[in-house]
Amino acid sequence: MNLRDIAGTAFPELNEQVGGTLGDLEITGLSADSRKVAPGMAFVAVAGTKADGASFIADAVSRGASLVVAGHGALATGAPLLTVAEPRRFLAVAASRLYGRQPETMVAVTGTAGKTSVASFTRQIWAHAGHPAAMIGTTGVVSPTRNDYGSLTTPDPVSLHQLLAELADEGVTHAAMEASSHGLDQFRLDGVRLAAAAFTNLGRDHMDYHPTVEDYMAAKMRLFRDLLAKGSPAVIFADDVWSAQAIAAAREAGQDIRTVGRKGEFLTLKRVEHFRHKQVAEVHIGDDIFEVHIPLAGDFQIANALVAAGLAISTGVAAPLAMAALEKLAGASGRLELVGHTHDGALAYVDYAHKPDALENVLNSVRPFTTGRVIVVFGCGGDRDRGKRPIMGEIACRLADVVVVTDDNPRSEEPAAIRAEIMAAAPCATEIGDRAKAIREAVGMLKSGDTLIVAGKGHEEGQTIGSVTLPFSDHAELRKALEEGRS
């Protein structure tokens, strides 16, 4: 595809630059990593957190880059130069035009917690309705032909648009994806043609990246403001403290606001009964009333299911069919996932809660069906928001009966120092640094009626210590400890 076709209509401000012979330049690929550049490709120099892509222009040219795209003020090189106001956005939109194909119906969900579950549930509802459907998110990619483990909530734009083209070629017609604040702020989703979008909630997270919570929220709201076509459905969970701000942002952007939850007007939750393995919800949709048996524990899973149903109904699934699909939902990996139980029936769950609000939600969610004690094992990651550590320690001691503080992914930090920052606000806690040992000790404490939550890593299959990621699975360690206890 030539540069004029890639940039001309998407970036009319570049018409003068691509109007001549430069516009005829054939582009075979795109990359922001000079090491991946091959002859005929365009190198897009983006400013990263550790290095400026402009420093690698010479390397990209030496590898055969046929074009360099950089910010205003970049110097001429041994290859044609195209200057743009925002190289990251150019990379994303150009990738969408170069690869072209996407599933016909795309939706995205943002928020602090629940994105993975909402994307997974939306895919499942679509599949129940007979649509070839996929999800893209923190746990990877799931489609009718693949179940690929992943680690990035929102992939880089070139990988994302390659993936969307592959899914379209597989026959996928519907796809739900997570929209992280990093991905939105860094323009990774620009170029995705969205039919609807959703917001779950907002809590403290990524304070190592965003200067304030308000800045964090503003990044989330790019989904409604800049990426969703005006007049499209904006499904918003109505019961969060940030819901009013999300509704205001969507309204200002001219979107079709559809709220869900106890305060919701599109899908209204009237009543919930909690059981150990399921919940029964009464949901009102217009004049219709549905009693839905959702096979998942946790009040927050009701919220996620309603957001997903809102997205599915907003993209053409009949309401009765969507409600029926909720009764067959499978939880996303590591999201209040029941791993097993002891010989006398104490339940053991793995949950991805690694931020204050998520930990508070999961501990509150298991209390209604726990007749004994709530036991929690958790830690905090290194090289991330340090301010949340004492907050999570306080929450754990306030809401759990037994607390074990252990290591999460310490990364480059000293593990004991991370634990100390949590323990400073958790006088009730026991400290066991070795995560596998902490899980075994917690399982050994379980008695009839107790509930154990191993929180923080969820679906992850490794533990990062220093610069090395070692194999580690909360699921595997918990199963092993439960089996040992039954033997």
Side-chain angles (χ1 to χ4, degrees):
M1 181 178 289
N2 67 38
L3 179 59
R4 187 179 298 105
D5 291 336
I6 290 175
T9 57
F11 297 91
E13 68 273 19
L14 299 180
N15 283 345
E16 185 174 342
Q17 291 189 69
V18 302
T21 56
L22 182 60
D24 297 325
L25 185 66
E26 288 294 320
I27 304 297
T28 60
L30 297 158
S31 181
D33 185 340
S34 65
R35 296 167 297 182
K36 296 180 180 178
V37 170
M41 292 176 62
F43 172 66
V44 184
V46 302
T49 56
K50 297 180 180 179
D52 188 344
S55 303
F56 301 96
I57 290 176
D59 182 54
V61 172
S62 72
R63 295 173 186 268
S66 61
L67 176 73
V68 171
V69 182
H72 296 307
L75 300 176
T77 66
L81 175 68
L82 180 68
T83 58
V84 298
E86 180 44 72
R88 286 186 181 276
R89 181 171 181 272
F90 179 91
L91 179 66
V93 176
S96 74
R97 295 182 67 82
L98 186 64
Y99 292 102
R101 304 173 307 288
Q102 298 180 21
E104 297 164 16
T105 301
M106 293 286 309
V107 303
V109 54
T110 196
T112 300
K115 296 187 296 296
T116 300
S117 292
V118 170
S120 174
F121 296 168
T122 304
R123 181 197 67 79
Q124 292 178 58
I125 297 169
W126 280 332
H128 182 80
H131 300 297
M135 71 156 286
I136 304 164
T138 307
T139 55
V141 181
V142 179
S143 80
T145 63
R146 65 172 80 186
N147 190 343
D148 300 336
Y149 176 81
S151 60
L152 286 177
T153 303
T154 309
D156 75 85
V158 175
S159 298
L160 173 61
H161 286 287
Q162 285 177 325
L163 172 61
L164 293 181
E166 290 172 6
L167 291 173
D169 290 344
E170 288 176 19
V172 169
T173 59
H174 292 62
M177 65 179 298
E178 299 180 46
S180 68
S181 61
H182 289 69
L184 290 163
D185 187 58
Q186 295 171 8
F187 304 94
R188 293 184 216 161
L189 278 83
D190 289 54
V192 178
R193 298 185 287 275
L194 296 174
F199 171 80
T200 57
N201 52 59
L202 197 86
R204 182 190 177 103
D205 199 17
H206 302 306
M207 291 296 100
D208 52 322
Y209 180 88
H210 300 286
T212 66
V213 176
E214 289 73 21
D215 180 80
Y216 175 42
M217 180 64 171
K220 297 283 190 187
M221 291 302 97
R222 273 204 76 230
L223 182 60
F224 296 141
R225 187 180 67 247
D226 298 334
L227 302 186
L228 188 63
K230 187 175 180 179
S232 300
V235 179
I236 298 173
F237 179 60
D239 304 335
D240 188 67
V241 294
W242 286 86
S243 298
Q245 289 91 324
I247 291 168
R251 180 176 291 116
E252 185 179 349
Q255 307 304 357
D256 176 8
I257 298 166
R258 303 184 176 194
T259 54
V260 305
R262 288 179 172 85
K263 299 177 183 176
E265 296 180 355
F266 185 59
L267 302 181
T268 308
L269 179 64
K270 289 293 187 180
R271 176 180 58 83
V272 179
E273 295 179 61
H274 300 279
F275 300 91
R276 296 188 88 188
H277 301 292
K278 71 173 185 177
Q279 298 172 87
V280 180
E282 182 181 312
V283 181
H284 292 213
I285 306 176
D287 295 329
D288 296 325
I289 300 174
F290 297 88
E291 182 178 279
V292 186
H293 294 244
I294 298 178
L296 302 167
D299 199 52
F300 64 94
Q301 292 287 39
I302 295 283
N304 295 334
L306 290 178
V307 174
L311 284 170
I313 294 168
S314 296
T315 51
V317 177
L321 195 56
M323 292 298 104
L326 295 186
E327 301 202 341
K328 300 180 180 298
L329 289 179
S333 177
R335 274 61 178 177
L336 197 55
E337 184 176 357
L338 180 62
V339 174
H341 54 81
T342 62
H343 66 278
D344 54 4
L347 304 178
Y349 293 87
V350 165
D351 192 83
Y352 190 47
H354 59 283
K355 56 200 94 171
D357 285 4
L359 184 63
E360 185 164 5
N361 285 339
V362 74
L363 293 176
N364 280 329
S365 291
V366 300
R367 182 62 73 179
F369 58 79
T370 300
T371 57
R373 302 168 300 166
V374 174
I375 302 173
V376 64
V377 176
F378 82 102
C380 289
D383 302 333
R384 299 293 186 268
D385 177 16
R386 292 181 58 180
K388 73 179 182 181
R389 296 170 188 174
I391 298 172
M392 293 180 69
E394 185 278 328
I395 289 170
C397 277
R398 174 163 47 87
L399 297 179
D401 301 296
V402 179
V403 178
V404 179
V405 172
T406 188
D407 292 340
D408 190 282
N409 293 312
R411 301 184 178 90
S412 70
E413 288 193 59
E414 174 57 45
I418 298 173
R419 297 195 302 273
E421 291 182 24
I422 302 170
M423 294 291 293
C428 74
T430 299
E431 181 179 355
I432 303 175
D434 184 303
R435 192 172 181 92
K437 182 179 179 182
I439 292 171
R440 288 197 304 274
E441 293 284 339
V443 169
M445 299 177 194
L446 287 172
K447 300 176 181 177
S448 178
D450 289 350
T451 298
L452 168 63
I453 303 291
V454 179
K457 291 175 61 59
H459 63 283
E460 293 178 1
E461 297 180 353
Q463 183 177 33
T464 304
I465 302 172
S467 59
V468 178
T469 299
L470 302 171
F472 191 95
S473 164
D474 280 355
H475 291 79
E477 293 299 332
L478 187 50
R479 288 192 192 97
K480 188 189 305 180
L482 289 168
E483 289 169 4
E484 289 172 357
R486 286 193 290 264
S487 61

